[in-house]
Structures are given as structure tokens and as C-alpha cells.
């Protein structure tokens, strides 16, 4: 109740908790850049290599972990840098399609933010599966994964630094 009366104190508490969590190496959350919805945790990172990637690079910012980022191009010529996860909180728009897949042997479906519907990436499942599967089937399998577009995500610890510090707390 005390924090409700002092919004500046609430900002400081939120910032402090975020930094303590980050410094301890706790799981880092990735947010939808458009609306801030919690999309994935760094604990769910899972590198799935593809021979169809145009390039591959390492990135060390997600939760302080080393992450493999792959660059792909769709048939329209648009390029996307993606990171793969075992699971993510995204809406999957079935049916899955095996045409123009970046991961041979897998069919894909568009994945969007459940809150704002921004396109965040794609969900991949084995191409010999039915074109539509349940959430439980998808998340319960070791053969499925989600490829999220890097520039559509925001790291939680970075987002928390964007809060303004009240003038009363500045030196």
C-alpha cells in the first residue's frame, strides 16, 4: 500500500529487483518489442542448425548466454535473423506448411504475439506430422521448436533500464 502512494519508490523497487535478478544470472525473459508481453526465457534456448541459413553468428547478450543467430531469406527476398527456442509463448497459426521451409524435414507456421498479434517468428514441427496439432502435442515433443526474429524481441533487463529515474533520486 505504501508503494501505491509513492510511484517514484515503486520505480526504484522495480529497477532494483530487475538488476538483482540479472546480476544473479537468473533466467532472462525476452519480451515482444511491440507490447512487452513475456514471450520466452533464455532457459528455453535451443540451437537448431540449418544448412539453408545464409549466415550464422554468435551473440552473447541474451541472459549473458552465448546464442547462435542464423540469417534466412524468404521467397520474397525479406531477410530475418532468428534464434531458436524449445518453447515460447506465441500463437501458432495452423495449418503448417512444408513449402519453402528453412529447416529440411520440418513444416512451419507463423507465430505471433498472443497479446498484440505482432509477427514474432515461426513454429516448426516435423513435416510428416498432421498439418494441425494441439499445443500439448507441440510443446510435448522434442522434435518441435520456435524460431523468433531477433529484432522483434526485447530483453527484459534492457527494458527495465528504460524506466525514468525520478528527479528526486538523481544526484
Amino acid at each position: 500500500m505504501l508503494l501505491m502512494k509513492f510511484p517514484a519508490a515503486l520505480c526504484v523497487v522495480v529497477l532494483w529487483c530487475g538488476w538483482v535478478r540479472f546480476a544473479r544470472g537468473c533466467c532472462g525473459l525476452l519480451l515482444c518489442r511491440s507490447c512487452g508481453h513475456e514471450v520466452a526465457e533464455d532457459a528455453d534456448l535451443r540451437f537448431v542448425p540449418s544448412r539453408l541459413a545464409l549466415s550464422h553468428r554468435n551473440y552473447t547478450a541474451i541472459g549473458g548466454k552465448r546464442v547462435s543467430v542464423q540469417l534466412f531469406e524468404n521467397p520474397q527476398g525479406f531477410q530475418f535473423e532468428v534464434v531458436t527456442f524449445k518453447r515460447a509463448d506465441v500463437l501458432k497459426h495452423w495449418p503448417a506448411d512444408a513449402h519453402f521451409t528453412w529447416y529440411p524435414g520440418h513444416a512451419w507456421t507463423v507465430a505471433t504475439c498472443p497479446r498484440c498479434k505482432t509477427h514474432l517468428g515461426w513454429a516448426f514441427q516435423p513435416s510428416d506430422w498432421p498439418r494441425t496439432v494441439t499445443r500439448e502435442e507441440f510443446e510435448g515433443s522434442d522434435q518441435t521448436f520456435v524460431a523468433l526474429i531477433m529484432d522483434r524481441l526485447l530483453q527484459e533487463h534492457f527494458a527495465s533500464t528504460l524506466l525514468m529515474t525520478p528527479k528526486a533520486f538523481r544526484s
Side-chain angles (χ1 to χ4, degrees), residues 7-159:
L10 179 61
C11 288
V12 170
V13 169
V14 168
L15 279 171
W16 181 79
C17 289
W19 281 111
V20 167
R21 186 174 175 199
F22 178 67
R24 286 180 153 181
C26 293
C27 67
L29 288 173
L30 294 171
L31 313 174
C32 170
R33 186 177 290 271
S34 295
C35 72
H37 178 75
E38 295 176 358
V39 175
E41 294 182 16
D42 66 355
D44 291 323
L45 282 164
R46 175 181 167 208
F47 178 59
V48 181
S50 173
R51 62 181 164 80
L52 299 178
L54 300 176
S55 68
H56 171 269
R57 68 181 175 89
N58 290 317
Y59 185 70
T60 56
I62 297 179
K65 292 183 178 181
R66 190 172 176 167
V67 178
S68 295
V69 179
Q70 297 177 88
L71 176 68
F72 293 102
E73 185 174 281
N74 71 10
Q76 290 77 32
F78 294 103
Q79 293 187 348
F80 302 93
E81 281 193 319
V82 301
V83 177
T84 50
F85 293 83
K86 167 62 184 141
R87 71 182 56 84
D89 185 18
V90 292
L91 286 178
K92 298 164 192 81
H93 299 271
W94 311 110
D97 188 350
H99 294 91
F100 306 110
T101 185
W102 294 328
Y103 296 91
H106 286 84
W108 58 273
T109 186
V110 171
T112 61
C113 175
R115 182 185 295 163
C116 71
K117 310 302 185 256
T118 295
H119 175 219
L120 297 177
W122 301 266
F124 290 86
Q125 67 185 46
S127 54
D128 59 353
W129 279 22
R131 294 181 60 196
T132 303
V133 297
T134 66
R135 180 179 183 146
E136 292 78 23
E137 291 171 319
F138 187 90
E139 291 181 1
S141 174
D142 289 333
Q143 301 175 55
T144 60
F145 61 95
V146 180
L148 299 178
I149 304 166
M150 284 288 293
D151 64 1
R152 309 271 169 95
L153 303 173
L154 188 63
Q155 295 176 51
E156 181 189 39
H157 76 271
F158 175 75

Side-chain angles (χ1 to χ4, degrees), residues 165-171:
T165 305
K167 288 181 183 181
F169 293 106
R170 294 183 197 158
S171 22

